[in-house]
């Protein structure tokens, strides 16, 4: 069912139908109420006439309406009063009538209880009350009052005409409003449908929001646009990442191929072949490091981590011990400064990988004869892990960008430019972050902060 049809049906058709049914019921109740008013008036008039029917001269029946000074004024709307004798013949009537068909009653009432009925005489609908009245002499008479219901029919018809006319007008207003609302919603939903189509087909263009309405549809549209913006940014970052990864992979492969081609081009002595193989081995190590970092970035962003309480001091000492051989070869010593124990809820292997990357980055730039300090301290519910070297440091303009994949502060620098990207990814995965701290003196200090209670969601 189309949206417009649904809105017309539920927003206009059903309410108008309900209003019409309610008005018809109200008309029936109104008609019953008017009939009750007529009955009360007839019974009151009959009670007054019955009490004083025989208080005239000689005890003969008479109608007080005839003697009223207001009889001429009320004659147009007062009921017709008739009195019938014991033989069923009419003896009195007010106002006087020449209708002979009503001069004889076919049957006298056999009870003193008043009888109310609705009868039709010709084109006139009458409400009638019939009362048996016994004279002081014991002679039974019949008093009958008849009131025309023509005014009631007119009032009921006017009520139905006015109310149903208003219901029709209200229905037109409802249909107009629902038509406008349906077109407005269809336009809004068409925008959402187009946005979703762009997302599905990958054609998001970053177009601005289409309207200023503040409603649920606008909230959905805003959420979709925000999601589309993030997806677009993520897609762009992914494309850049793939392009840079392809470039980084292509460079060592090209160097390896060149070395092999040179070695195979002509006969070479053992020394030259050894140099080619050593150069090739360095490129293989570079490829291995690059592939490992790429796998780390890919695996850290997927799946569910199993986190548990770990001692950060032990983790730092293990990382220092693993790099001791390389540090001694470079003439650098590594020290660990952390409380004991330093408990934190974390994913041990990923944090260990991040710490290893920080230490490897420091070893890459630490001059011979200097110290690298690995430090851990607790501050405001966060564990702050720092690795400080005494090398050339990181220029201020590069301190935020060094955490981007494949970024190097020096274009000719060593490494694949993924180590600090892995550190940042691990920190964010845990609900923390990584940054380059301000330092006094030479060197760089890279900080990774982790929540003591662990990631918000595991």
């Amino acid at each position: 069912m189309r949206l417009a049809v649904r809105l017309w049906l539920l927003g206009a058709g059903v309410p108008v139908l309900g209003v019409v049914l309610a008005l018809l019921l109200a008309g029936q109740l109104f008609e019953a109420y008017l009939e009750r008013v007529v009955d009360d008036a007839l019974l009151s008039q009959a009670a007054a006439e019955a009490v004083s029917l025989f208080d005239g001269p000689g005890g003969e029946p008479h109608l007080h309406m005839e003697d009223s000074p207001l009889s001429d004024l009320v004659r147009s709307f007062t009921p017709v009063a008739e009195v019938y004798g014991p033989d069923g013949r009419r003896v009195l009537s007010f106002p006087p009538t020449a209708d002979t068909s009503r001069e004889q009653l076919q049957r006298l009432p056999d009870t003193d209880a008043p009888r109310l009925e609705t009868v039709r005489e010709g084109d006139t609908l009458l409400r009638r009350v019939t009362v048996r009245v016994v004279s002081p002499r014991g002679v039974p008479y019949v008093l009958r009052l008849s009131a025309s219901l023509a005014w009631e029919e007119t009032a009921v018809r006017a009520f139905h005409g006015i109310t149903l006319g208003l219901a029709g007008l209200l229905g037109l207003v409802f249909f107009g409003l629902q038509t406008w609302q349906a077109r407005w919603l269809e336009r809004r939903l068409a925008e959402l449908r187009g946005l979703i189509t762009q997302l599905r087909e990958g054609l998001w263009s970053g177009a601005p929001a289409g309207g200023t309405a503040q409603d649920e549809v606008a909230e959905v549209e805003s959420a979709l646009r925000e999601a589309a913006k993030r997806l677009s940014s993520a897609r762009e970052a992914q494309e850049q990442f793939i392009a840079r990864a392809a470039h980084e992979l292509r460079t060592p492969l090209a160097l390896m191929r060149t070395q092999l081609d040179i070695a195979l081009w002509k006969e070479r002595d053992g020394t030259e072949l050894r140099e080619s193989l050593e150069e090739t081995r360095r490129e293989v190590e570079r490829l291995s490091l690059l592939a490992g970092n790429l796998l780390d970035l890919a695996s850290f962003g997927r799946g569910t981590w199993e986190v548990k309480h770990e001692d950060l001091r032990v983790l730092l000492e293990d990382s220092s011990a693993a790099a001791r051989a390389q540090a001694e070869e470079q003439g650098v010593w590594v020290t660990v400064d952390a409380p004991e124990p330093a408990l934190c809820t974390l994913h041990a292997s990923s944090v260990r990988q991040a710490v290893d990357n920080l230490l490897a980055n420091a070893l890459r730039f630490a001059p011979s004869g200097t110290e690298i300090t690995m430090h851990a301290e607790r501050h405001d519910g966060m564990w702050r892990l720092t690795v400080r070297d005494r090398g050339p440091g990181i220029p201020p303009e590069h301190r935020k960008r060094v955490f981007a994949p494949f970024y190097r502060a020096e274009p000719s620098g060593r490494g694949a430019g993924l180590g600090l990207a892995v550190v940042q990814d691990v920190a964010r995965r845990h609900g923390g972050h990584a940054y380059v701290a301000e330092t006094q003196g030479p060197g760089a200090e890279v900080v990774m902060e982790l929540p003591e209670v662990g990631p918000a969601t595991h």
Side-chain angles (χ1 to χ4, degrees):
M1 183 182 295
R2 300 288 297 177
L3 178 62
V5 176
R6 186 180 295 110
L7 287 175
W8 284 333
L9 180 62
L10 300 179
V14 172
V16 170
L17 179 60
V19 170
V20 170
L21 293 177
L23 291 177
L24 291 176
L25 178 60
Q28 296 295 324
L29 296 176
F30 179 61
E31 186 175 1
Y33 170 76
L34 293 179
E35 188 174 289
R36 179 64 180 272
V37 171
V38 173
D39 290 347
D40 291 342
L42 288 175
L43 289 172
S44 297
Q45 185 69 32
E49 292 291 346
V51 170
S52 57
L53 187 61
F54 301 101
D55 61 356
E60 294 297 325
H62 73 101
L63 296 171
H64 286 73
M65 289 186 291
E66 295 177 337
D67 301 331
S68 174
L70 301 177
S71 60
D72 293 336
L73 296 176
V74 301
R75 182 171 299 179
S76 60
F77 57 85
T78 55
V80 175
E82 299 169 301
V83 178
Y84 295 88
D87 58 355
R89 296 182 61 83
R90 186 173 64 186
V91 296
L92 291 173
S93 69
F94 178 85
T97 177
D99 187 0
T100 58
S101 64
R102 295 163 56 178
E103 292 184 353
Q104 181 78 33
L105 285 180
Q106 300 299 324
R107 183 173 65 86
L108 295 177
D110 53 4
T111 177
D112 292 339
R115 184 175 76 247
L116 288 165
E117 58 185 340
T118 300
V119 298
R120 181 177 292 277
E121 293 186 355
D123 295 332
T124 305
L125 190 66
L126 300 174
R127 186 66 174 170
R128 177 175 291 168
V129 60
T130 303
V131 182
R132 182 172 176 267
V133 183
V134 180
S135 70
R137 299 175 183 176
V139 179
Y141 286 82
V142 174
L143 173 64
R144 188 168 71 177
L145 301 179
S146 302
S148 173
L149 295 180
W151 68 272
E152 179 187 348
E153 292 179 321
T154 302
V156 172
R157 283 196 299 269
F159 174 83
H160 284 305
I162 294 173
T163 55
L164 293 178
L166 291 175
L169 180 61
L170 185 64
L172 292 177
V173 172
F174 280 173
F175 275 100
L177 288 175
Q178 296 305 321
T179 299
W180 172 80
Q181 182 71 7
R183 290 177 179 175
W184 181 77
L185 281 176
E186 285 180 345
R187 184 174 65 254
R188 299 288 301 281
L189 293 177
E191 294 175 359
L192 292 181
R193 187 165 56 248
L195 179 59
I196 293 173
T197 300
Q198 289 182 347
L199 290 176
R200 185 173 60 246
E201 297 178 357
L203 300 176
W204 167 249
S205 60
T212 59
Q214 299 296 324
D215 53 19
E216 291 80 358
V217 178
E219 292 176 0
V220 173
E221 181 180 3
S222 177
L224 282 175
R225 291 185 180 276
E226 180 65 24
K229 184 177 180 181
R230 293 185 179 181
L231 287 174
S232 179
S233 299
R235 182 178 180 180
E236 182 179 356
Q238 183 185 38
E239 291 175 350
Q240 293 179 357
F241 181 86
I242 293 173
R244 290 176 179 176
H247 174 74
E248 294 293 335
L249 290 170
R250 187 181 296 114
T251 300
L253 288 173
L255 291 174
M256 292 169 60
R257 181 175 179 177
T258 300
Q259 291 294 332
L260 293 174
D261 287 342
I262 292 175
L264 295 173
W265 180 52
K266 64 178 181 178
E267 294 291 334
R268 305 177 69 87
D269 57 27
T271 301
E272 291 176 337
L273 288 175
R274 183 178 182 85
E275 290 176 355
S276 296
L277 290 175
E278 288 177 349
E279 182 65 26
T280 303
R281 186 178 187 281
R282 284 192 292 270
E283 296 304 323
V284 169
E285 291 177 349
R286 181 180 174 187
L287 278 175
S288 177
L289 177 62
L290 177 61
N293 286 329
L294 288 173
L295 289 174
D296 289 340
L297 281 176
S299 63
F300 292 159
R302 290 199 310 266
T304 301
W305 285 4
E306 180 182 356
V307 297
K308 57 184 178 179
H309 292 295
E310 297 286 348
D311 191 337
L312 287 174
R313 181 182 179 87
V314 174
L315 189 146
L316 294 178
E317 290 177 343
D318 290 345
S319 179
S320 173
R324 183 176 295 116
Q326 181 181 352
E328 291 177 352
E329 182 180 349
Q330 294 182 207
V332 176
W333 65 94
V334 181
T335 61
V336 176
D337 179 20
E340 186 177 356
L343 297 179
C344 180
T345 303
L346 49 81
H347 183 255
S349 63
S350 64
V351 174
R352 170 62 188 276
Q353 178 66 50
V355 171
D356 288 346
N357 287 1
L358 290 176
L359 185 54
N361 193 70
L363 286 170
R364 187 176 297 117
F365 298 100
S368 178
T370 61
E371 177 187 19
I372 296 176
T373 304
M374 304 179 71
H375 180 70
E377 64 176 346
R378 186 176 177 274
H379 179 72
D380 292 337
M382 303 286 288
W383 277 104
R384 185 177 296 167
L385 306 180
T386 63
V387 177
R388 169 74 185 274
D389 63 63
R390 301 305 189 276
I394 302 175
E397 64 272 17
H398 297 289
R399 289 177 181 174
K400 290 184 179 180
R401 302 172 65 184
V402 292
F403 294 98
F406 304 109
Y407 182 82
R408 299 186 184 93
E410 298 179 1
S412 59
R414 293 166 291 174
L418 289 173
L420 293 183
V422 171
V423 173
Q424 184 70 277
D425 191 67
V426 171
R428 288 177 178 172
R429 180 78 166 170
H430 281 80
H433 68 291
Y435 59 94
V436 179
E438 297 286 344
T439 59
Q440 297 294 330
E445 181 176 291
V446 184
V447 182
M448 181 173 65
E449 291 188 348
L450 304 174
E452 182 181 10
V453 296
T457 57
H458 297 166

